[in-house]
Amino acid sequence: MTVRAASVPVASADAFAAVGPADGANPNGSASRVRTRRLADGRAVAEAGLRLSGLHCAACGGLIDAALRAVPGVERVEVNAALEHAELRWRPEATDLECVLAALRAAGYDAALDDTPQVARLMQREQRAQLMRWLLATLCAMQVMMLAAPSYLPSGRDLAPDLQRLLNWGGWVLTLPVVLLSATPFFAGAWRSLRQRTLGMDVPVALGIAVTFVASSAATFHPGGWLGHEVYFDSLTMFVAIVLGARWLEMRARHRAVQQLDRAAREVELRALRLDEHGTPREVDARELAVGDRLLVPLGQAFAADGRIETGDTAVDESLLSGESRPLARRAGEAVQGGSLNVGAPVTVRVERVGDDSALQRIVELVRSAATQRPAWSRVADRWAAPFLWAVLLLAAGGAAVWGVIDPSRALWVAVAVLIVTCPCALSLAVPASLLAAAGALARRGVLLRRLDMLDALARVDEVFIDKTGTLTADALALRAVVALTPLPPGEAAALADRAATLARWSAHPLARALAAARAGAVDGWSAVREETGRGLSALDAHGRRWRLGSTAYVGVSDPAAADDDAPAALWFGAEPDASAAAAAATDGPCIRIEFDEVLRPDAAALVARWRADGVKLTLLSGDRRARAERIGCALRVDAVIAEATPQAKLDAVAAAQARGAVVAMVGDGINDAPVLARADVSLVMGQGAQLARARADAVLTGSRLDDLDFARRVALRARRVVRQNIAWAAGYNLVSVPLALSGTLPPWAAGLGMALSSLLVVGNAARLARMR
């Protein structure tokens, strides 16, 4: 096992300096709305995050990127198609947000500013429209199938010509709304692709729909024409309904992920009690705070901004920010960081840094930057999509050309059969159906997915970075040892620890609570109990002797362990010197040191052992002291330990592993883990973790069982096998069906039926994942 301390990074030279909100922006809005910044070179730029609408595939991200970059004045565009999100930067003197949105809408998409009510309305409108298209297509497809059923029966060949024409006319009427209303996204997507001189997945779909409808319409109106008398309205409507259903399922999954992200982001936004000129506290949004404001921070509340304590002494929990597992004493005049938790006593704080200048916001900015750099499976799909689609179109055109010489009356139907049989309907269902079934199995176990395609990355993971505090270790500290600091009879140190536990029950300090939980005893026997915040607790026993529980200075003992930063957390307990009239001098009272340590979760060792046996490299990544991190790492036998790591250092460690070609997973729970969670190929967060960490994770464990991590990986491995089986089936189906379609032995109706059956098989195979336990 290797152990190394992470270095503290130097601030970047191109750091931003906020100069105020952009024109028309809400000055009290969140940092995700329009904001104006001044770069290090003095230039002022405007930035905004947009929630996108109208995306159907990974290629849409490229189209949006090209459309936005074409706007004069736009300097930077970062589109995440999986999250339907874009980050923009532009020069305010050259363009504005309205021009950017107009260009986006001209490209066939829509957007709304992040963290605005328009986002929810945009998603509702998009989901409702998609659902209505699918319902319309499904209803019409069922009716068309009923009209077409007689033609498939043996007795159907005996239908009278006028009755057959009546059925065809009925099919045409019912197909018309499917083509004109339900299928509009395919035609719109194909037109956008062609206008951008690219080839998207909508092109062959739209071409097949159009050709089938036009040819079937011609056969309906002129059954004796060169296109013949066969109509395929049933195949067309069923095809549109199935593809729309798959897209609706994907849209629902994406929107659930976006809504979970937004809810978590809103929960991150802190509330604060600001003191007015009369000293009266008033609750305000932390975004409204300004430098110089005075805040009242009650016990148990988070500090809403960076500042300095004016009155009161307390202890702060910075584990979510730095990874430090021990509560840290903070006295009047000392600095506190926004996002840390007040666990000692109520204090008043003078705000010194807010917004982009605060420690919490600097971590948030790292999160945003890392999220835009997430590796995406869509890049691989984009690389193969264009060659596949060109091959489909060339096959259809080639088949039509050859049959134009052999039998012109069958040329068009051969082309249509090729377009239908090669349509990626089963392929479009292979992945989402499997992932949704796997997500259902995980949800029943308490593992909630925010990004469905994380399952593929989780199955391929070969290196895991795992946080220590709160992830591998339990939330509460546990009693480690009792050390006598004065000569004591045998067994007296343990008896004193029991006595200290009865006094500890009078305090809400984390270490006092840990001691009280570790030792039995009542609170009786003490009187004149006094607590000095940040120092300790004192009380009189039944004999009138005063005992103290707290720091060395408070108890009045000299102990070298108190100055050791790597020593475990501790409380000191002792009696004041006993000065009796009969004694010539006071005698020192008994004194002990009560040490505490983090406790591994009961299933941590088993998890590490299983993953290492599977060939997964595990690195313990912690902001805690090196000695404490090394102690946990040795106990678990992980491969490496990185200690004293800042958020940037954690990000650098993951980036270095990815640069070596590793597929990286990150498991954490703190605000300081959020940037690295966003950068990792797959990220998981314990349910009690910070909201910002949960907002950027791919999966959240609602419970505290590490066994759920192993279950998630087993589901991911099984899902990958099912996806491969589905893709293999779809590919095999095409290998068999395409030659049949090209040879003219597979009519379009059979191609459509085969396409539907292959889709049903894919869905049925995927449903097996939902039964995993």
Side-chain angles (χ1 to χ4, degrees), residues 226-597:
W226 66 277
L227 290 176
H229 64 280
E230 296 288 344
V231 297
Y232 301 99
F233 297 125
D234 53 342
S235 298
L236 188 154
T237 54
M238 182 171 54
F239 167 72
V240 172
I242 290 176
V243 177
L244 285 177
R247 288 192 174 184
W248 182 63
L249 290 175
E250 292 174 313
M251 179 182 294
R252 287 190 61 193
R254 288 198 309 268
H255 285 182
R256 281 198 302 267
V258 169
Q259 289 165 356
Q260 181 182 358
L261 171 63
D262 291 341
R263 283 195 301 269
R266 284 194 296 270
E267 291 174 4
V268 170
E269 295 167 0
L270 301 176
R271 305 292 293 178
L273 291 175
R274 183 168 58 190
L275 300 175
D276 60 18
E277 61 273 15
H278 304 296
T280 303
R282 300 185 184 278
E283 188 176 49
V284 297
D285 194 312
R287 296 172 298 185
E288 300 178 17
L289 297 178
V291 174
D293 284 347
R294 293 178 65 239
L295 306 180
L296 172 63
V297 185
L299 177 65
Q301 190 176 91
F303 292 93
D306 293 1
R308 196 167 296 275
I309 298 176
E310 283 197 335
T311 60
D313 298 335
T314 187
V316 298
D317 182 353
E318 295 185 352
S319 61
L320 295 179
L321 284 170
S322 65
E324 171 64 52
S325 60
R326 296 189 299 182
L328 305 175
R330 291 288 184 266
R331 299 185 178 183
E334 295 185 336
V336 290
Q337 297 188 54
S340 58
L341 192 66
N342 183 10
V343 297
V347 293
T348 60
V349 174
R350 179 75 67 175
V351 175
E352 293 184 340
R353 287 182 297 276
V354 296
D356 299 330
D357 220 12
S358 66
L360 179 60
Q361 187 60 30
R362 287 195 295 271
I363 294 178
V364 172
E365 289 299 331
L366 282 175
V367 171
R368 287 184 182 142
S369 173
T372 60
Q373 302 168 15
R374 181 189 296 279
W377 61 268
S378 57
R379 296 177 184 173
V380 177
D382 289 342
R383 193 161 56 242
W384 290 100
F388 171 76
L389 295 174
W390 277 115
V392 169
L393 295 178
L394 290 175
L395 278 175
V402 171
W403 278 98
V405 176
I406 300 173
D407 185 356
S409 65
R410 302 179 64 184
L412 183 59
W413 295 121
V414 168
V416 171
V418 172
L419 288 173
I420 292 177
V421 83
T422 56
C423 180
C425 183
L427 289 175
S428 68
L429 287 171
V431 175
S434 303
L435 297 186
L436 285 172
L442 289 172
R444 285 195 301 272
R445 186 70 176 260
V447 181
L448 305 180
L449 303 187
R450 196 182 64 84
R451 186 173 67 94
L452 288 178
D453 60 342
M454 63 82 68
L455 290 169
D456 177 64
L458 182 59
R460 295 183 291 108
V461 160
D462 45 30
E463 187 165 351
V464 175
F465 290 83
I466 189 164
D467 179 56
K468 175 180 72 70
T469 306
T471 303
L472 290 173
T473 61
D475 298 330
L477 297 175
L479 184 63
R480 175 187 179 187
V482 177
V483 179
L485 301 180
T486 57
L488 295 174
E492 182 65 18
L496 286 176
D498 291 336
R499 196 171 191 183
T502 65
L503 180 58
R505 282 176 167 76
W506 289 85
S507 175
H509 190 279
L511 292 182
R513 290 200 301 266
L515 175 58
R519 296 280 182 164
V523 296
D524 298 333
W526 298 107
S527 61
V529 179
R530 298 199 305 263
E531 182 171 10
E532 295 186 32
T533 304
R535 301 191 65 199
L537 195 69
S538 69
L540 298 177
D541 63 14
H543 304 287
R545 190 176 191 185
R546 182 164 295 279
W547 293 77
R548 295 178 181 269
L549 175 68
S551 65
T552 53
Y554 184 69
V555 176
V557 64
S558 177
D559 186 0
D564 186 358
D565 288 337
D566 291 331
L571 287 174
W572 286 261
F573 179 66
E576 292 184 351
D578 185 9
S580 63
T587 58
D588 290 338
C591 187
I592 59 173
R593 181 176 71 242
I594 306 170
E595 297 180 350
F596 301 87
D597 203 356

Side-chain angles (χ1 to χ4, degrees), residues 86-226:
E87 286 286 336
L88 303 177
R89 180 192 296 173
W90 67 89
R91 299 193 307 275
E93 70 276 7
T95 188
D96 57 18
L97 183 62
E98 290 303 319
C99 293
V100 172
L101 293 178
L104 187 63
R105 291 171 183 135
Y109 301 94
D110 203 353
L113 277 174
D114 266 351
D115 195 28
T116 60
Q118 286 77 13
V119 171
R121 290 197 291 267
L122 191 69
M123 289 192 296
Q124 289 174 0
R125 185 168 63 247
E126 183 183 17
Q127 189 166 343
R128 189 184 305 115
Q130 185 77 354
L131 178 61
M132 295 305 296
R133 292 190 192 100
W134 174 69
L135 289 175
L136 176 63
T138 302
L139 178 63
C140 292
M142 290 189 295
Q143 303 304 317
V144 172
M145 285 297 294
M146 286 193 295
L147 295 177
S151 301
Y152 295 141
L153 300 176
S155 59
R157 302 187 183 277
D158 300 330
L159 286 175
D162 57 344
L163 182 56
Q164 183 64 61
R165 290 192 63 184
L166 180 62
L167 294 176
N168 291 347
W169 271 95
W172 181 83
V173 171
L174 290 169
T175 303
L176 198 59
V178 175
V179 174
L180 297 181
L181 299 177
S182 296
T184 49
F186 305 121
F187 294 114
W191 173 245
R192 285 195 298 263
S193 297
L194 295 176
R195 195 169 58 179
Q196 294 286 340
R197 297 184 179 181
T198 61
L199 199 61
M201 297 291 283
D202 285 330
V203 172
V205 175
L207 185 60
I209 292 173
V211 171
T212 303
F213 180 72
V214 170
S216 296
S217 298
T220 300
F221 299 144
H222 303 287
W226 66 277

Side-chain angles (χ1 to χ4, degrees), residues 14 31 141 343 501 536 553 584 634 643 731:
D14 62 348
V343 297
C634 290

Side-chain angles (χ1 to χ4, degrees), residues 1 605 608-609 612 618 630-640:
M1 182 185 71
V608 171
R612 289 194 67 195
L618 281 105
E630 180 181 357
R631 185 163 57 247
I632 297 295
C634 290
L636 292 175
R637 299 183 179 180
V638 298
D639 297 287

Side-chain angles (χ1 to χ4, degrees), residues 607-661:
L607 174 73
V608 171
R610 282 195 298 267
W611 282 12
R612 289 194 67 195
D614 290 342
V616 178
K617 178 182 178 182
L618 281 105
T619 299
L620 191 152
L621 193 60
S622 176
D624 206 351
R625 299 286 183 178
R626 187 188 313 174
R628 290 196 288 270
E630 180 181 357
R631 185 163 57 247
I632 297 295
C634 290
L636 292 175
R637 299 183 179 180
V638 298
D639 297 287
V641 173
I642 301 177
E644 301 176 10
T646 64
Q648 183 63 55
K650 292 183 178 184
L651 200 60
D652 293 341
V654 169
Q658 290 174 325
R660 296 193 301 268

